[in-house]
Amino acid sequence: MTEVTASEDVRPPIAGGGDRVVPGLFALAIFTSAALVFTVQPMATKLVLPLLGGSPSVWNTAMVFFQAALLVGYAYAHALQRLTSMKAQVAVHLALLLAAALFLPLRISGALGDPAPEAPIGWLLTTLTLSIGAPFAILSATAPLLQAWYARVRVGHVDGQNPYVLYAASNLGSFLALIAYPVLIEPLLTLSGQRAGWSGGYAVFVVMVVALAVVAWRRGGHWGGEQGAGEVAPLERSAPIAWREKIVWVLLAAAPASLMLGVTSHLSTDVASAPFLWVAPLALYLLTFVIAFQTRPLIPLPVTLALAAAMGLACIAFSAFRSGDWLFLFGLNLVTFFLLALMCHQRLAQRRPPPDRLTEFYLLMSLGGVVGGAFTALLAPILFNNVWEYPLVLVLVGLARPLDRSPIRNREVYLFVAAVIACAIPPILSAMFQVDWDFAWWFSNNVTGDMPRLTLMILIVAVVAGLLLRDRTPAYVAIAAMIALTTHYIGRGYEAKFTDRSFFGVMRIGTTQDPRLGGEVHVLMHGTTLHGAQPRNPAFACMPSLYYAPLTPIGQATQTIQLRRPAANIGVIGLGTGAMAGYKRAEDRMTFFEIDPLVDRLARDPEHFTFISDCAAGPVRTVLGDARLTLDREAPGSYDLLLIDAFSSDAVPTHLLTVEAIEGYLRLLKPDGVVVLHLSNRNLDITLPAAAAARRLGIPNLHQVYQESDASPEMAEASTEALILSPSEEGLAEFRRDPRWRTLADTEVRPWTDDYVNLVGSLWRHFRN
């Protein structure tokens, strides 16, 4: 399809116009609005954290809201162009900016009450709409609206013929704000300070729009018009855009938006847990816009097309295999995402229409963002039981490549056949291994015992063939699809035996062998985080394992409390496999507080785990919902032991470790009751903020790091770090006599509160030590 070119102006363009103030003012205003838009996104999800926890799905769903609000803003900017008077446009926009200021400072509306754990998506989208929808949408309109104004104000100048370069300034503001939030804003400002600062930034932006209004009203000779004209003439209308071209715009915008959320889910689910994982894909996504809409892109499109072809095929080949060097897999997936998103956005920039169609272009781009984001965040979790949407879009994005219509050569046919054969060999060998033919036995033992690795070696042929056929788009996409099907067919036999998906993530139940525990052991995985295990041999099945084993701090605390009380009331935040139910006596009461209904269903299914169904003496209660909300409905002074066990993965629900949260736990305890904070985490130091919170509250506390024994069975126990708290010294009496429990030294680390959390500091302390 041919590129749409800008309409010609009857006057020769002025090269510079001798004025840098007006372009600078427009660029600064667009930069500021974009920075505000991308500061409010992590801030809003932080505000909603106490209601829905820290699951990556909360961020992905919130991203769909932001994309939809962006669509509303762009639709408003496009509709405003129906007013031919630029003065009227400015007046309307200023009025709406002032009206949206009534929602400041930003807060989360309580109109809908607490979310239902079974259906949180609708609640989250509606609550965000009521809380920040108006200011976010009106700010989102800035980029297309100010570019449209710029094209009119700078008519007759060279820069006025290409206002799209200001989109690079917009995305640069977004990029810098996104990076600054976790690194600078969150560590230095409380949440209330962030809300106040954002409100101040909004006021500054309104002043900038007023300054731009003055420019529009004056429209002197320096800005391309006649002195004292008093109004900016509308641009000449170009030919309407064909519907086929509009659909292409939507699809080119949808693919990167889907990939952005898909790669986030894939990395956090299938590769490794890492703090701030959502930052990298979104930052790269914004960076591709900056490069694509530059006058002279840093990476030319032909280079992007070649690199994207190679990395796309390589990434698809690795996407089904979750073991290996996680740093390599992180890098491979992020670089591939960056190149594929850049390819789509450069193709969009290549097809941009004349300036008079600018707002229509951005409207359809934002529609594509909503379509791609909604598919990944809302539809895919319903359609798929795993993160299948990611490899699917990796394949389909190949359709965005230019199409070579020249005659097909024999060499290209041979390459395609070679790719087909290479993709067919691994499934055939896998089938041979399964039926255990003599040849298969010899091959697996003498050539390789690692079928995924052998598959990757064979698929090098298909990857090279696909790269050489990259300009033959149908052949390239077909090869990519075959590679995906082959790797996922092979990968299926080396992963979990059961997989299901909820709003809060993908849960896998796998099996491993531990001969000293009687053979087969079922394990529960949430992404790459192990959440519990249970031997299937009846002799070992009711023994709490891993973090909950009798010798760990959790096991010690449970048994100590049970020695005190013939009938103990125990509460556990975080269900996992239900291993704590292995301690329940007939006289005890035990309640699990769990946010994910899927976890409760799996833990109670005897086919998977039997701690609750067979091992617990008597009924075990589960309360669904975020623990901060559900614990508020429990009777004060009723618990002997509260175990807070929700911090082992990357998505740490920080609101469960704040001073206010710990105060809530203490309120539920009997005078000599205890709270055990399970603080094992592979990425963050969360012990010092928790200890600092205990010291601020002036309550007794002790700390223990338990190292698993090399002599114990592999799945019997796990190294565990815990902090135990009590409202009284009486509650910690037995623990103080145990040398395994020690008092932590004083720390200068600031305690976390509902108004202040510093995850970057926790990350830095962890890796420094």
Side-chain angles (χ1 to χ4, degrees), residues 44-322:
T45 51
K46 189 176 177 67
L47 285 169
V48 85
L49 176 65
L51 301 172
L52 275 180
S55 164
S57 296
V58 174
W59 170 254
N60 278 0
T61 304
M63 280 299 299
V64 174
F65 161 77
F66 294 130
Q67 289 166 329
L70 188 74
L71 176 62
V72 172
Y74 282 14
Y76 152 71
H78 180 60
L80 200 60
Q81 301 312 301
R82 294 181 179 275
L83 296 176
T84 57
S85 168
M86 189 169 164
K87 289 184 179 180
Q89 290 187 26
V90 172
V92 169
H93 193 57
L94 278 173
L96 290 179
L97 280 170
L98 294 174
L102 298 175
F103 289 84
L104 303 181
L106 298 178
R107 65 186 68 83
I108 296 299
S109 170
L112 299 183
D114 296 339
E118 298 83 1
I121 293 177
W123 180 92
L124 179 56
L125 294 176
T126 306
T127 296
L128 288 174
T129 301
L130 295 174
S131 304
I132 64 172
F136 186 89
I138 198 69
L139 271 177
S140 298
T142 299
L145 189 58
L146 265 63
Q147 287 177 68
W149 291 354
Y150 185 80
R152 291 178 64 172
V153 168
R154 299 291 289 176
V155 69
H157 294 77
V158 171
D159 57 338
Q161 293 182 354
N162 185 24
Y164 293 97
V165 294
L166 291 175
Y167 198 50
S170 171
N171 285 281
L172 181 61
S174 303
F175 175 80
L176 294 177
L178 180 68
I179 299 300
Y181 188 85
V183 175
L184 295 175
I185 297 174
E186 187 178 43
L188 297 178
L189 294 176
T190 64
L191 194 53
S192 56
Q194 294 173 34
R195 293 164 61 214
W198 196 89
S199 299
Y202 188 91
V204 169
F205 174 71
V206 173
V207 172
M208 289 183 179
V209 175
V210 171
L212 289 173
V214 172
V215 171
W217 253 262
R218 290 177 59 187
R219 184 45 165 65
H222 287 295
W223 299 298
E226 284 138 21
Q227 188 70 36
E231 181 56 272
V232 182
L235 298 174
E236 293 183 12
R237 296 299 288 172
S238 58
I241 308 298
W243 274 105
R244 182 174 179 272
E245 179 72 3
K246 293 178 181 180
I247 292 172
V248 170
W249 292 349
V250 170
L251 294 177
L252 285 174
S258 177
L259 280 175
M260 177 181 64
L261 302 186
V263 74
T264 303
S265 297
H266 172 71
L267 291 178
S268 61
T269 299
D270 295 333
V271 178
S273 297
F276 314 114
L277 189 58
W278 55 270
V279 172
L282 182 54
L284 292 174
Y285 176 79
L286 296 171
L287 189 59
T288 62
F289 278 115
V290 176
I291 296 173
F293 283 86
Q294 288 176 326
T295 305
R296 294 180 178 177
L298 186 65
I299 306 175
L301 180 57
V303 175
T304 303
L305 290 170
L307 294 176
M311 295 301 294
L313 293 172
C315 189
I316 292 169
F318 278 93
S319 64
F321 305 128
R322 300 169 179 91

Side-chain angles (χ1 to χ4, degrees), residues 646-667:
F647 310 117
S648 56
S649 68
D650 69 304
V652 173
T654 56
H655 65 299
L656 298 180
L657 272 181
T658 64
V659 171
E660 295 84 351
I662 294 174
E663 278 185 313
Y665 308 148
L666 297 172
R667 180 183 62 84

